[in-house]
Amino acid sequence: MIIPTVPETFDIIVVGAGHAGCEAAMAAAHMGMQTLLLTINADRIGHLSCNPAIGGLAKGHMVKEIDALGGMMGKWADQAGIQFRILNTRKGPAVRSSRAQIDRAEYVKVVQQDIFTCPNLFVRQETAASLTVEDGRVTGVVTTLGETIPCRAALLTTGTFLQGLIHVGLNNFSGGRYGDPASSGLSPRLRELGFELGRLKTGTVPRLLKSSVDYSVMEEQAGDNPPRPFSFDSPGIRLQQLPCFVTYTTERTHEIIRTGFDRSPMFTGVIKGTGARYCPSIEDKIARFPEKDRHQIFVEPEGLTSHEVYPNGIPTSLPLDIQKALVASIPGLEKAQIIRPGYAIEYDYVPPTQLRPTLESKLVRGLYMAGQINGTSGYEEAAGQGLWAAINAVLALRGEPELILTRSQAYIAVLVDDLVTKGTLEPYRMFTSRAEHRLLLREDNADERLTAIGRDLGLVDDSRWQRFTRKQTAVNEIMAGMEALRVRPDAATRNLVEAMGGTIPQKAVSLKELLRQPELTIDMLTPLWPELENFDGEALEEAEIKTKYEGYLRRQQELVDRFEKMEQTTLPEDMNYTGIPGLSREVVEKLTRVQPRTLGQAGRISGITPAALSCLEIQLKKIGRL
């Protein structure tokens, strides 16, 4: 066995080993960079700090995209998943999303197995205290032990650890999460370097002893059978599958919560950070929606052998006595024992308009940021940014063109573009409604959109590439076959179509035209084309969606093409907006702060009017850029 030599200077140092950090470190190492993953606690690498689940509405799309590009989250989730479900199955394919309950301990195990055995990747348990910068470029990371570790690029994925402050009632104490210390040195250093910092807040639920929960009064919620994995290259699901259970708060619960308002750090002004609008605490729900007589709670398993369960739906920072009383007022949880209290955590973040679309900072070259430090919430948003930032850091070190996907190519691109163009004053969460072209950005075609890009980057290996090309060949064969095969309205066909519940065609039609009927699915057509049985289920599904939504897909692509000119019209990096006639002071300030790369990005900045865009176009013509 060849033992790797620790380099004196690392190509990339990744600070933080949460979802953004692990994804970034693996990508950089897979692309051949000597990479150091620096973490406060090596035992917590890959830890699921909040709920034991991956995916969900729009988040499942991003996991699929990470996987298609050659990232890791989907593979890790498949290895540690204990319940898989497709959400929104009654709606159209654009908004169907995968979600999986995860065995928390098993996830850490599979992540660490890959992290510690990955070539080019080194791990060190240290706390980053500062950064060294020379001539405007990051040159190293300084630890709390006083060691300076040289690097060519650094990627900050600090999560909730920057000046983290944990709140339980009116008690608060420093921490990056419950049981782990906060990071206190980086925030002052970032301010020294000229960065503006803000303050955000998130929270989590009390964890309960599984054996103290009465499941008999709850509604059981099983996963899909068979379970459907995240990864396009998954060998299948290997762990036993478990159900979740559903219960609800009661009027008594709400009364108890109201009695704690005067000791709530959120309502008394102790918490200064802005909380997540789309994942409010239970006390916030009660205050904002007094007309609701109950709120849903999903009692989720933490793992196959874990003694804890996660009551998803009651995140709280109320005092412990109130937490105990509110839990005991919920059906099935009357005797539940709290193992770990719910809490809120405040932390520093860097408003992301200070970043380029590559997620490199505008102030310090070679310094990248990903995850909650950029103002997002959620494992999937963090992982997508970690992969994006690492890819661009590697390309920059190689002197190669940056990778900037468009909003019509990926949800991850929508996420990054929203962050660096519009910024965020509250924890940003991805939704399918944020994507203008969501019918083009389905889960099923994430591989078609992104695998070739991952292949060019060196993140998709030969085996994965062969599997992808086989699927694409199959989809093309199915589409061509359905176009060529025509069925006539003879007696046999009429009987078959009638039995399927479809409308009998009045003239000869292609199988493709027949499939467009809402009542019919592609598997129903096997009697008319027996060769369909030879194709893989994923290829059949994609062919069916392309057939049924062909007109909508064409119209969305026409919209993309129409706006492509604006996206391809680049703006000079050193453009002086002050001297452009017709631009208001507000518009000049916003353009100067964001420094948009293209005319299209400029148009997405809040407050930039069509008239302002016209002024920019006139200026570009004057300087010969249009």
Side-chain angles (χ1 to χ4, degrees), residues 246-295:
V246 180
T247 186
Y248 298 87
T249 61
T250 64
E251 282 291 352
R252 176 62 182 151
T253 310
H254 302 179
E255 291 172 10
I256 292 167
I257 290 170
R258 291 187 189 101
T259 66
F261 280 0
D262 62 337
R263 291 185 289 151
S264 163
M266 184 172 65
F267 294 144
T268 56
V270 175
I271 291 177
K272 306 300 182 185
T274 305
R277 179 193 305 263
Y278 305 106
C279 188
S281 64
I282 186 62
E283 55 266 37
D284 198 21
K285 290 180 188 177
I286 301 309
R288 288 168 54 190
F289 307 107
E291 74 282 359
K292 294 202 68 171
D293 56 6
R294 67 176 190 172
H295 294 275

Side-chain angles (χ1 to χ4, degrees), residues 179-249:
D180 284 319
S183 172
S184 59
L186 281 178
S187 290
R189 179 57 173 146
L190 289 171
R191 287 192 176 94
E192 284 177 11
L193 293 169
F195 288 96
E196 172 197 349
L197 270 63
R199 199 84 172 145
L200 295 179
K201 165 248 168 186
T202 188
T204 190
V205 307
R207 315 296 166 84
L208 309 178
L209 181 66
K210 180 169 65 175
S211 60
S212 66
V213 174
D214 179 8
Y215 294 106
S216 66
V217 298
M218 300 181 187
E219 172 192 339
E220 182 173 327
Q221 185 182 70
D224 293 341
N225 188 18
R228 184 164 183 172
F230 276 108
S231 177
F232 290 99
D233 203 32
S234 176
I237 306 306
R238 64 186 185 91
L239 295 185
Q240 175 190 349
Q241 300 295 285
L242 297 181
C244 295
F245 293 85
V246 180
T247 186
Y248 298 87
T249 61

Side-chain angles (χ1 to χ4, degrees), residues 8 80 100 359 444 482 503:
E8 292 185 5
L359 295 183
D444 66 276
M482 289 196 300
T503 302

Side-chain angles (χ1 to χ4, degrees), residues 121-142:
L121 180 54
F122 301 82
V123 177
R124 194 176 301 178
Q125 180 171 300
E126 292 280 5
T127 300
S130 187
L131 302 168
T132 58
V133 176
E134 297 177 12
D135 297 324
R137 184 173 191 86
V138 68
T139 57
V141 175
V142 183

Side-chain angles (χ1 to χ4, degrees), residues 338-349:
I338 294 178
I339 297 178
R340 313 176 202 221
Y343 64 90
I345 182 167
E346 286 185 277
Y347 54 95
D348 287 346
Y349 84 109

